[in-house]
Amino acid sequence: MQRTKLFLSEAFSSIRSNLSTAIAATLTVLIGMFLLGLFIALGTWVLSYTNDIKRQLVVNVYFCTPETCESGKDPTTAEINAVRQKIEAMPEVKSVKFISKEDALKEMERRNPELVKNLTSNPLPASYQVIPERGDDVAAIAARLEPVPGGVEKVNYGKKTADRVLSVAKVIGGIFIVGSLILIVASILLIANTIRLSIFSRRREVEVMKLVGATNWFVRGPFMLEGLITGLVGSIFAVVLLVLAKEVALPAIINRTTLTNDEVHAMAFPLIAVIMIGTSLAVGAIGSGITLRRFLQV
Amino acid sequence: MRAPAGAPMIVFEQVTKVYDPHIVALRDVSLTIDKGEFVFLVGPSGSGKSTMMRLLLKELEPTSGRIIVGGRELNRLKRSKVPMLRRNLGCVFQDFKLLPNRTAFENVAYALKVQGDSKREIRTKVPEVLGLVGLSSKMSHMPDELSGGEQQRVSIARAFVNHPPLLICDEPTGNLDPDTSVGIMQLLYRINRTGTTVVMATHDREMVDKMRRRVIALDDGSVIRDERRGGYG
């Protein structure tokens, strides 16, 4: 306790007497962490967006109608149930929804009333809408229904659209992961380097401390605390800046109503803030601890 | 560092120090310095004086041989005990080695803080020792506001604040003009009279001749002369 107080007062007096370096280090942390937070928010939002689009991928299993069935009649209930069992047994499938001929007509009426107006009978087939666990599995599900079971006319998963959506999502995901890794490494190196420089400029001080009988921890303690304080202050400012960006700048740039969708959202903001602060604290303390090692060999 | 009575303060036994790759700084040096002595270590640059000082502080390890300081064998001293050794050795350097961002008071106080002295102890001991070196009125000055001689006094105060049995001075007057040097020497002499052993490396021929103390002369890493009441030679 006594020692913590001593370290704290040493750390603060050292920040005071090296104010310009301390401010430079804090600003570096601020910039690094702001970029990191921004990228996490943006990246997770994009990932969530692509996931949402992937969720819209479904496999439609259309049954035959009297015009197309080999038997010339509607498929039997037994056939329909058999297909359902087959689909539900697949591990990739999340849920199956039956759309009767009437449901299909109603949906068609809703979308294109003119087309339906003059119909005398219902030409639309009944179908199963199969929702996969993961959007990527639509092709696999369709393949398992090949050759088509009895009573089924066609299995459709919008091959072209689905393939495009999936490959774009993959590219976006890849860019986000690589980009955020680069950014994390870059901001950590940037911060660690600033700390290195500030300690390097004080290496003679470290030597003197060792020569008058300071233990390694006695020298290291205040330096690491200084790193912690720098990291904390810098990242808190970065969080504040990010809040401002989110609440003020973003709505001004983007018309939010067009993008608002309950299913699409970035990582929760408090979590991002915790990641930012945690990263900079760790880098601040560990960075100064490691840098000091070589100067402590006196 | 309580050596038994009558035991020597410093013993070098056949100490050799070779820097990589083949620079021999000390060659088979053996010598004994008793408690309470005032010893000059003289010799040209590169003769090994500073190496001896740094060996005493365990800043360096000898290549071979034994060094005993205050009854403690340095070769056997664990690295974690080195801070304890240094707290019991005062050291004064040519370039003062003061912490630049701290006042004279804080510089001296640092030597006490590292060993966990309380604020109250610091508040009594520091003004006392700064008074001893004649700097009572400049306690709150930063090093760059002090003259060279004053800075050296601060560093002597820091070295002496624990009243160590041994004071090691590496050319303490090397950066100072002759008049200021005399003042520093008088101060070291007074410290010696309190019973503190003083070992001082120096180039200052006039000073050595005047003091008539023990002189150990080094040349090219070897002891070439060791006189009880010597001159610079």
Side-chain angles (χ1 to χ4, degrees):
Chain A
M1 192 57 226
Q2 182 68 34
R3 179 155 273 219
T4 319
K5 247 169 72 184
L6 185 61
F7 280 1
L8 262 176
S9 81
E10 288 276 317
F12 276 115
S13 76
S14 147
I15 288 175
R16 254 201 311 280
S17 50
N18 300 287
L19 199 60
S20 58
T21 337
I23 289 176
T26 311
L27 283 178
T28 314
V29 173
L30 194 162
I31 293 165
M33 286 305 117
F34 178 73
L35 285 177
L36 182 69
L38 199 66
F39 210 91
I40 291 177
L42 221 63
T44 49
W45 185 86
V46 169
L47 275 189
S48 154
Y49 185 71
T50 59
N51 275 334
D52 185 60
I53 287 175
K54 278 201 229 167
R55 261 196 298 276
Q56 292 167 16
L57 293 177
V58 293
V59 182
N60 288 311
V61 179
Y62 296 104
F63 290 100
C64 54
T65 55
E67 291 78 43
T68 54
C69 277
E70 282 168 33
S71 58
K73 285 179 276 178
D74 276 326
T76 62
T77 316
E79 277 173 330
I80 291 174
N81 283 338
V83 173
R84 180 180 204 113
Q85 269 166 22
K86 186 167 174 159
I87 292 171
E88 278 180 339
M90 295 180 195
E92 296 95 338
V93 170
K94 190 175 169 195
S95 63
V96 185
K97 188 178 157 201
F98 182 69
I99 297 167
S100 66
K101 288 169 71 83
E102 292 73 33
D103 292 339
L105 187 65
K106 265 185 218 149
E107 177 68 14
M108 178 71 97
E109 219 172 347
R110 196 173 65 78
R111 283 198 201 168
N112 311 75
E114 309 83 39
L115 275 179
V116 183
K117 232 182 273 172
N118 303 322
L119 286 176
T120 51
S121 67
N122 181 358
L124 296 173
S127 65
Y128 277 130
Q129 189 180 57
V130 184
I131 298 170
E133 284 286 353
R134 299 169 347 130
D136 312 65
D137 290 332
V138 285
I141 293 170
R144 277 172 186 254
L145 290 169
E146 213 62 56
V148 292
V152 172
E153 188 194 340
K154 184 163 80 159
V155 176
N156 182 11
Y157 68 97
K159 189 170 180 354
K160 270 193 178 160
T161 323
D163 287 352
R164 269 257 289 292
V165 166
L166 288 175
S167 67
V168 167
K170 205 178 255 175
V171 169
I172 290 174
I175 289 175
F176 165 59
I177 288 169
V178 172
S180 59
L181 277 182
I182 290 175
L183 208 71
I184 288 171
V185 171
S187 57
I188 286 174
L189 285 182
L190 190 69
I191 294 167
N193 205 42
T194 314
I195 290 167
R196 269 174 65 98
L197 281 177
S198 88
I199 291 181
F200 198 74
S201 69
R202 282 152 69 190
R203 67 191 185 285
R204 271 182 51 92
E205 219 173 301
V206 174
E207 184 200 340
V208 174
M209 290 168 174
K210 287 300 301 275
L211 283 176
V212 300
T215 57
N216 283 349
W217 275 108
F218 196 87
V219 178
R220 211 180 273 145
F223 271 103
M224 288 179 77
L225 259 180
E226 211 184 312
L228 276 178
I229 294 168
T230 308
L232 187 68
V233 174
S235 55
I236 285 177
F237 275 114
V239 169
V240 169
L241 217 59
L242 207 61
V243 170
L244 286 181
K246 184 176 173 249
E247 299 298 331
V248 180
L250 195 65
I253 297 168
I254 307 169
N255 182 2
R256 294 198 71 169
T257 51
T258 61
L259 277 169
T260 302
N261 177 339
D262 288 343
E263 293 295 311
V264 180
H265 41 70
M267 187 186 280
F269 192 79
L271 193 58
I272 296 179
V274 166
I275 291 178
M276 287 163 70
I277 293 174
T279 309
S280 55
L281 285 184
V283 175
I286 298 170
S288 33
I290 291 174
T291 310
L292 268 180
R293 266 215 331 229
R294 38 191 289 239
F295 301 129
L296 286 171
Q297 313 293 333
V298 176
Chain B
M1 194 170 299
R2 294 273 167 267
M9 181 50 93
I10 297 173
V11 180
F12 272 58
E13 275 178 17
Q14 299 176 319
V15 174
T16 296
K17 174 68 191 176
V18 182
Y19 290 111
D20 290 331
H22 310 293
I23 304 156
V24 182
L26 283 182
R27 233 182 270 276
D28 200 22
V29 170
S30 295
L31 54 85
T32 302
I33 295 171
D34 287 325
K35 276 186 178 167
E37 273 194 281
F38 194 118
V39 180
F40 286 112
L41 211 55
V42 301
S45 296
S47 59
K49 304 186 299 287
S50 290
T51 302
M52 274 186 76
M53 300 286 170
R54 297 176 70 188
L55 285 170
L56 286 172
L57 284 168
K58 207 171 155 78
E59 222 184 310
L60 298 173
E61 302 288 339
T63 311
S64 65
R66 282 208 310 170
I67 302 171
I68 298 165
V69 177
R72 252 189 231 180
E73 200 182 323
L74 296 194
N75 309 41
R76 290 208 199 142
L77 195 68
K78 277 194 250 153
R79 283 227 66 92
S80 58
K81 297 284 179 213
V82 171
M84 305 299 151
L85 169 78
R86 291 181 183 163
R87 288 170 201 174
N88 283 300
L89 285 179
C91 39
V92 179
F93 302 91
Q94 181 173 6
D95 56 356
F96 321 135
K97 291 201 192 296
L98 296 176
L99 297 167
N101 295 316
R102 293 168 199 248
T103 63
F105 181 97
E106 287 165 345
N107 262 286
V108 177
Y110 193 81
L112 296 175
K113 279 188 192 169
V114 299
Q115 55 186 13
D117 281 17
S118 70
K119 277 209 176 120
R120 192 189 310 154
E121 280 173 295
I122 290 172
R123 269 200 294 269
T124 49
K125 284 185 187 170
V126 175
E128 190 183 291
V129 76
L130 279 171
L132 179 78
V133 301
L135 285 177
S136 293
S137 59
K138 303 202 164 168
M139 290 203 288
S140 54
H141 284 51
M142 290 296 195
D144 56 8
E145 297 165 344
L146 296 170
S147 71
E150 287 166 338
Q151 289 186 51
Q152 194 59 293
R153 284 167 190 274
V154 175
S155 108
I156 291 173
R158 179 180 66 190
F160 192 61
V161 67
N162 280 324
H163 296 275
L166 174 61
L167 199 65
I168 298 170
C169 312
D170 193 358
E171 307 210 25
T173 59
N175 280 352
L176 305 176
D177 63 71
D179 289 345
T180 314
S181 298
V182 170
I184 296 292
M185 287 310 299
Q186 282 168 344
L187 184 57
L188 292 176
Y189 183 59
R190 265 168 59 207
I191 286 173
N192 175 238
R193 276 198 311 201
T194 66
T196 301
T197 311
V198 178
V199 180
M200 172 174 163
T202 186
H203 274 130
D204 195 337
R205 175 182 299 268
E206 211 177 315
M207 191 77 66
V208 174
D209 288 341
K210 209 157 42 190
M211 296 279 286
R212 310 306 298 172
R213 292 304 177 112
R214 181 176 174 190
V215 175
I216 298 172
L218 286 171
D219 191 22
D220 197 21
S222 305
V223 176
I224 53 168
R225 193 159 53 89
D226 186 351
E227 288 171 71
R228 278 287 139 196
R229 287 188 168 277
Y232 196 91

